């Protein structure tokens, strides 16, 4: 097997010192353009490629972004948002050979994870998702001097750069569509209310019903999980006066609700209309296909990665506002049952 060429080989081939080769290959000032061109030509002649680790050390970079998730591993695997979001981040940073370091932890151990990432310089910056009420992470990032971008509304980040996508219009559109179809008892199966985006979706449901002059239907916790969605749906549908429509916090809970309705003999959409959120690929293949709200999770990941690049390079960056989520009607909604 042929030996891989080294910087020393490039230096000898170009007739310069190894320090000059390093400066030329890392595009640092202080060498003549003619010399730089000779070094680059020598590297190309020899087929030299950089060691990613060595390049990172020379530039004082870890070559990685961090994503710390205070969730159970099973939740991350089942949630359709995170695989698409991570794919978007990787599409940006993977092109240059950088990677995404994902840590699963608990809220109690979260601070220690960030402190280790900063102390050991394992990442160049972090992406903050699942913002909570009174979230301690934005001030912690400032204390640690760790570049960070908030994936959520700007007001959640305590002055950190945010990349936001508004989910409220999609929720409002779904509820208006249901009321146009004659529904008056519209329930909500909510996500964890300590999460700001889950609370925001519940608020959109409440405010839209109020604006339409309708009473708030029952609301039950679903936890963004199939188990929570199934449990809440069963309770709602076995009440003396069940809702005629249910709007869920995400698609996982909604698809579990579809299954429970079928088990109980409640026909969708003849007797019950169902709406999810995320527009996961499987929603098109459920029975019936699930109405949902489309949020471009992959595009969100790409935008967040580019924003974090800017924060790392410049120290700060403007907030980024992505197009809002869009309601996607499908066969899981229909006219309210008569009587």
């Amino acid at each position: 097997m042929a030996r891989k060429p080294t910087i020393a080989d490039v230096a000898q081939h170009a007739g310069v010192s190894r320090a000059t080769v390093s400066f030329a290959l890392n595009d640092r000032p202080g060498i003549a353009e003619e010399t730089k061109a000779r070094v680059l030509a020598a590297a190309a002649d020899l087929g030299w490629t950089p060691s990613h680790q060595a390049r990172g050390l020379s530039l004082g970079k870890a070559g990685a972004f961090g994503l710390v998730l205070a969730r159970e591993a099973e939740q991350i695997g089942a949630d359709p948002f995170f695989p698409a979001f991570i794919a978007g981040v990787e599409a940006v940073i993977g092109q240059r050979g950088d990677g995404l370091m994902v840590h699963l932890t608990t809220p109690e151990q979260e601070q220690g994870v960030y402190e280790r990432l900063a102390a050991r310089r394992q990442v160049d910056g972090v992406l903050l998702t699942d913002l909570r009420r009174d979230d301690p992470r934005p001030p912690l990032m400032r204390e640690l001097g760790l570049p960070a971008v908030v994936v959520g509304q700007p007001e959640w980040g305590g002055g950190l750069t945010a990349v936001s996508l508004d989910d409220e219009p999609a929720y409002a559109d779904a509820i208006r569509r249901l009321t146009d179809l004659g529904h008056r008892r519209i329930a909500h199966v909510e996500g964890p209310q300590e999460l700001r985006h889950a609370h925001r979706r519940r608020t959109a449901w409440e405010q839209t019903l109020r604006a339409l002059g309708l009473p708030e239907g029952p609301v039950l916790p679903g936890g963004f999980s199939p188990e929570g969605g199934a449990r809440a749906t069963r309770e709602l549908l076995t009440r003396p006066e069940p809702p005629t429509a249910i709007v869920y916090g995400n698609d996982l809970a909604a698809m579990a609700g579809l299954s429970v309705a079928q088990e109980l003999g409640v026909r969708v959409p003849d007797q019950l209309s169902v709406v999810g959120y995320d527009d996961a690929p499987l929603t098109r293949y459920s029975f019936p296909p699930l109405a949902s709200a489309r949020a471009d999770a992959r595009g969100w990941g790409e935008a967040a990665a580019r924003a974090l690049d800017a924060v790392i390079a410049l120290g700060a960056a403007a907030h980024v506002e992505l197009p809002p989520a869009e309601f996607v009607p499908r066969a899981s909604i229909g006219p309210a049952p008569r009587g």
Side-chain angles (χ1 to χ4, degrees):
M1 182 176 179
R3 181 176 68 87
K4 183 178 179 181
T6 66
I7 282 184
D9 296 326
V10 175
Q12 182 178 10
H13 191 68
V16 298
S17 69
R18 282 183 289 182
T20 299
V21 171
S22 178
F23 271 57
L25 294 175
N26 288 314
D27 199 24
R28 292 186 177 181
I31 62 172
E33 286 299 319
E34 180 184 350
T35 304
K36 178 179 175 182
R38 191 162 75 250
V39 170
L40 295 178
D45 288 345
L46 295 175
W48 178 87
T49 55
S51 160
H52 183 63
Q53 182 178 17
R55 177 172 170 79
L57 289 172
S58 72
L59 298 175
K61 293 183 62 180
F65 286 176
L67 179 62
V68 180
L69 303 174
R71 290 197 187 194
E72 298 291 336
E74 294 77 11
Q75 289 182 322
I76 299 300
D79 192 327
F81 173 82
F82 282 105
F85 179 81
I86 289 171
V89 175
E90 291 279 7
V92 173
I93 65 177
Q95 293 179 355
R96 59 177 183 255
D98 287 358
L100 180 66
M101 185 179 293
V102 180
H103 282 268
L104 300 184
T105 186
T106 64
E108 294 76 24
Q109 297 175 322
E110 191 176 51
Q111 178 172 335
V113 173
Y114 286 110
E115 289 172 345
R116 288 193 296 274
L117 290 176
R120 298 172 185 174
R121 299 184 179 178
Q122 292 179 302
V123 296
D124 300 312
V126 293
L127 300 165
L128 304 182
T129 63
D130 282 347
L131 272 291
R132 305 184 293 270
R133 298 187 189 186
D134 300 320
D135 200 305
R137 289 176 293 170
L140 177 63
M141 297 307 104
R142 294 192 179 283
E143 179 184 332
L144 296 174
L146 192 57
V149 162
V150 166
V151 180
Q153 300 301 311
E155 61 268 24
W156 301 348
L160 296 178
T161 295
V163 180
S164 61
L165 186 154
D166 194 354
D167 49 11
E168 287 185 342
Y171 257 64
D173 288 347
I175 294 164
R176 290 191 187 96
R177 179 67 64 92
L178 291 170
T179 58
D180 289 345
L181 291 168
H183 293 274
R184 296 296 180 266
R185 297 194 306 278
I186 303 173
H188 180 48
V189 174
E190 64 183 11
Q193 287 301 287
E194 67 271 17
L195 298 181
R196 284 185 173 270
H197 61 285
H199 181 70
R200 184 177 173 87
R201 292 173 195 175
R202 172 173 174 168
T203 300
W205 168 77
E206 292 173 343
Q207 291 179 343
T208 305
L209 288 176
R210 194 176 302 126
L212 293 171
L214 295 176
E216 293 178 15
V219 56
L220 290 177
F224 283 162
S225 70
E227 297 80 10
R231 182 171 56 250
T233 304
R234 189 178 303 278
E235 179 177 339
L236 288 168
L237 295 184
T238 53
R239 290 184 174 187
E241 192 174 14
T244 63
I246 305 176
V247 179
Y248 293 79
N250 72 351
D251 287 339
L252 285 178
M255 292 180 76
L258 279 177
S259 179
V260 168
Q262 292 169 358
E263 177 191 336
L264 296 176
V266 177
R267 298 188 306 278
V268 177
D270 296 341
Q271 295 174 292
L272 176 70
S273 287
V274 174
V275 176
Y277 184 93
D278 279 326
D279 195 34
L282 283 177
T283 57
R284 301 162 181 78
Y285 304 105
S286 62
F287 181 77
L290 180 66
S292 189
R294 180 176 296 146
D296 182 9
R298 181 186 172 104
W300 207 345
E302 293 175 0
R306 288 192 292 268
L308 186 51
D309 271 341
V311 170
I312 292 168
L314 305 173
H319 298 311
V320 178
E321 185 175 351
L322 300 174
E326 177 186 359
F327 176 55
V328 182
R330 294 197 180 98
S332 66
I333 62 171
R338 295 183 177 179

